[in-house]
Amino acid sequence: MQALIDQFLAYLATERGKAPNTISAYRIDLDQLVAYVQEQDVRAWTDVTPDHVMGFSIFLRERRYANSTVARRTAAVKAFFAYLVSQHVIEVDPSTAIDSPKVDRYTPKSLTLFQVDELLELPLRSSSPEGLRDKAMLELLYATGMRVGELVALELDDLSLEARTVRCAGRGGRERVLPLNDTAFIAIEEYLDNARSQLTRSDGVRATALFVNHRGKRLTRQGFWLILKGYAEEIGLYDLTPHTLRHSFASHMLANGADLREVQERLGHASLATTQIYATMQSEQASLLPTFAQLNSTRSIPQPNVKADAVQDED
């Protein structure tokens, strides 16, 4: 049974271009399904009935998983059985009778402009290579709205200082080119001129990653998360996640006059509906702009009307 799960996950990765995090989540979901049906003395996918799938759905609800978790696991199960039908492993899909629970759309958390300014200035307290690197990373995230996975995957060649753009590889290898504002450009230039070479000295081979750790190796998602967490806790933002800067970028762009289509292109959303949720935050963030200006800050708020290459990709 496990072999067909592995085959399905490989199909999602290679043919559908699903992100590694999605593949990992689906593996957990389907492993739980296998464990459940095997307890019912099922040893082959051809023996799984609608009653087994319905029982698994009830099992999830009885364990009081969040609706979002049940919805994801249900989606994984339905996608898997649809795949088995397409591969002629089974003739009838046993999951057609189950429905995914409704999941309320949430409003993403966004920082105020003052909080962004406070957070992004923290690395400047240190003139160490790490401090300059952190400043460049945080400025780049807020200036472009890219995902953390996209940030740590950047290569030196993805950056064009002459054009003031960065090429970002989205999910499935699809690309978009994003403009850099003044503060991000200056921070990246300073990192490249005064810090990166010091961090890569311990690496025996020429490093190609744009952002590296203290050993000269590519910085990981987990490494970035620990860095951000440390800065956030210093200013009392204990629930800050790496995605919060992406949310802040989008809501601040809208508050500054961008339309949804512009924000969609910058974020790399395939559907405008995915971007629509940020519109609910627009009026709140717009009221923050005059307050921020009164602080005489030099930060560049994400600006509309600078076109980025569109990409078909989900949030």
Side-chain angles (χ1 to χ4, degrees):
M1 299 182 81
Q2 191 63 48
L4 284 171
I5 290 178
D6 293 339
Q7 182 179 314
F8 170 63
L9 296 177
Y11 160 77
L12 291 181
T14 58
E15 301 296 326
R16 300 290 301 278
K18 294 295 184 181
N21 285 349
T22 301
I23 302 299
S24 297
Y26 269 36
R27 182 177 295 280
I28 292 171
D29 300 338
L30 294 174
D31 283 349
Q32 189 174 30
L33 173 65
V34 169
Y36 175 82
V37 298
Q38 286 182 343
E39 286 184 357
Q40 315 301 313
D41 294 324
V42 173
R43 295 293 179 266
W45 292 115
T46 52
D47 295 331
V48 175
T49 68
D51 286 344
H52 290 129
V53 179
M54 183 63 70
F56 180 64
S57 180
I58 294 171
F59 164 78
L60 294 177
R61 287 169 170 80
E62 287 178 343
R63 297 196 59 174
R64 297 184 179 181
Y65 286 114
N67 276 356
S68 57
T69 301
V70 176
R72 191 197 71 208
R73 294 194 173 165
T74 301
V77 168
K78 292 175 77 69
F80 176 62
F81 282 117
Y83 172 78
L84 294 185
V85 171
S86 72
Q87 299 299 306
H88 307 292
V89 175
I90 59 176
E91 294 183 3
V92 179
D93 185 345
S95 69
T96 54
I98 63 170
D99 296 318
S100 298
K102 292 183 178 179
V103 180
D104 295 333
R105 295 292 301 268
Y106 77 102
T107 301
K109 292 184 179 179
S110 174
L111 300 178
T112 67
L113 290 166
F114 177 81
Q115 287 172 323
V116 169
D117 193 55
E118 191 176 19
L119 176 67
L120 271 58
E121 293 304 306
L122 283 177
L124 292 181
R125 297 179 310 172
S126 170
S127 59
S128 68
E130 289 82 1
L132 295 177
R133 176 204 61 199
D134 297 349
K135 172 69 171 174
M137 291 192 300
L138 294 177
E139 289 286 358
L140 182 57
L141 275 186
Y142 179 61
T144 63
M146 68 172 59
R147 302 173 180 88
V148 173
E150 296 168 343
L151 176 83
V152 298
L154 290 175
E155 302 283 345
L156 279 172
D157 291 343
D158 292 326
L159 184 67
S160 173
L161 292 178
E162 181 178 355
R164 293 198 176 198
T165 60
V166 61
R167 183 175 63 246
C168 174
R171 294 169 185 166
R174 293 159 295 192
E175 295 182 348
R176 62 192 188 277
V177 177
L178 303 170
L180 303 176
N181 61 25
D182 290 342
T183 48
F185 175 79
I186 292 170
I188 291 171
E189 195 171 43
E190 188 168 2
Y191 162 65
L192 294 176
D193 289 344
N194 302 314
R196 187 179 178 278
S197 61
Q198 297 183 52
L199 293 172
T200 56
R201 282 176 184 170
S202 59
D203 191 6
V205 296
R206 182 177 177 271
T208 61
L210 177 58
F211 295 112
V212 297
N213 60 26
H214 66 280
R215 295 186 300 274
K217 306 295 185 182
R218 182 184 301 276
L219 191 70
T220 64
R221 290 169 59 96
Q222 294 80 4
F224 177 84
W225 163 243
L226 291 174
I227 290 168
L228 178 64
K229 184 173 182 287
Y231 287 126
E233 289 181 351
E234 288 188 44
I235 55 176
L237 298 175
Y238 296 100
D239 59 347
L240 183 71
T241 69
H243 228 54
T244 305
L245 283 176
R246 180 170 163 88
H247 296 325
S248 302
F249 161 85
S251 60
H252 293 176
M253 266 198 76
L254 288 169
N256 202 41
D259 61 31
L260 279 174
R261 185 66 66 182
E262 288 182 84
V263 178
Q264 177 194 6
E265 291 181 355
R266 295 280 193 97
L267 295 178
H269 289 162
S271 170
L272 191 63
T274 308
T275 317
Q276 183 71 41
I277 193 169
Y278 293 106
T280 64
M281 308 163 68
Q282 182 176 0
S283 59
E284 176 186 350
Q285 295 300 333
S287 67
L288 296 171
L289 288 171
T291 303
F292 184 72
Q294 291 169 7
L295 298 173
N296 296 318
S297 173
T298 59
R299 176 155 319 287
S300 297
I301 301 167
Q303 297 292 318
N305 302 321
V306 180
K307 299 294 285 182
D309 289 355
V311 64
Q312 298 300 302
D313 203 0
E314 292 298 336
D315 188 35

